Amino acid sequence: MRRGYAGLKEAVALTDLLRWFPNLKNEYYNRTSDPTFNYNCFAWAAGISNARWDPAPMFNCWWPPNLERKATKKTIKKLYELAGFNVCKNGDPEVGYEKIAIYFVGDKASHAARLLPDGYWTSKIGDADDISHTLKGLEGTRYGEVRIYMHRAISTSPSS
């Protein structure tokens, strides 16, 4: 099932999105937020919507102080391990866990997405919108392909 991109008031038009991610033409996707600069895909994948996580020392992005400022497989895995994630086998839903998928172009991490309870994934597309999508929908020259899946236990502590 594919839904359209309604209410376009953002800087990125639907034509740009489909040009950047041609697989979306045949895959499910849905716009789920307005554009914002408050967070990026790496933070959003970990459930953070008030900070940008980026190894590039620009725009006051957060990065762990003792982690090398590179988007390599090793450093990106360590970034998410610090947030409680561990490498897992695949992106299939797993009871009691939340999952992320990390895309790579060559040896560089290019994007991260988080699995939603409905089985689709959520992503922050650059400084544009958040969308829900299939993993295949974002694969291609811009974000590359998913090479790492990670999961962390969902907290089941009672709220006070």
Side-chain angles (χ1 to χ4, degrees):
M1 175 172 95
R2 180 180 143 232
R3 284 189 271 184
Y5 217 71
L8 290 176
K9 60 183 177 184
E10 65 282 353
V12 177
L14 173 60
T15 54
D16 291 331
L17 187 72
L18 295 177
R19 184 170 34 91
W20 295 340
F21 308 106
N23 288 340
L24 286 178
K25 292 175 186 169
N26 299 315
E27 294 287 321
Y28 166 88
Y29 68 94
N30 188 41
R31 177 177 179 253
T32 57
S33 80
D34 290 329
T36 180
F37 192 74
N38 294 339
Y39 56 95
N40 64 356
C41 68
F42 294 121
W44 182 245
I48 305 297
S49 62
N50 62 354
R52 296 175 65 87
W53 291 7
D54 199 307
M58 58 183 190
F59 307 122
N60 296 321
C61 293
W62 179 83
W63 196 251
N66 297 322
L67 189 59
E68 187 176 20
R69 285 191 167 270
K70 292 185 177 179
T72 63
K73 194 173 189 177
K74 179 182 174 182
T75 59
I76 291 297
K77 280 173 44 178
K78 183 65 176 168
L79 171 71
Y80 287 110
E81 286 170 355
L82 291 170
F85 288 90
N86 293 299
V87 173
C88 62
K89 195 171 16 174
N90 58 47
D92 296 340
E94 189 177 346
V95 175
Y97 289 89
E98 58 182 330
K99 291 196 172 186
I100 61 173
I102 306 167
Y103 292 75
F104 286 80
V105 173
D107 294 334
K108 183 180 177 190
S110 56
H111 184 70
R114 177 173 21 102
L115 183 63
L116 294 168
D118 64 6
Y120 291 107
W121 295 79
T122 181
S123 286
K124 172 78 162 101
I125 306 298
D127 294 329
D129 318 353
D130 301 337
I131 66 170
S132 59
H133 59 89
T134 63
L135 289 179
K136 183 178 178 181
L138 296 186
E139 288 184 340
T141 57
R142 190 171 191 90
Y143 283 165
E145 61 186 30
V146 174
R147 292 205 194 127
I148 298 175
Y149 294 99
M150 299 182 84
H151 68 178
R152 71 178 168 192
I154 296 171
S155 174
T156 56
S157 60
S159 52
S160 26

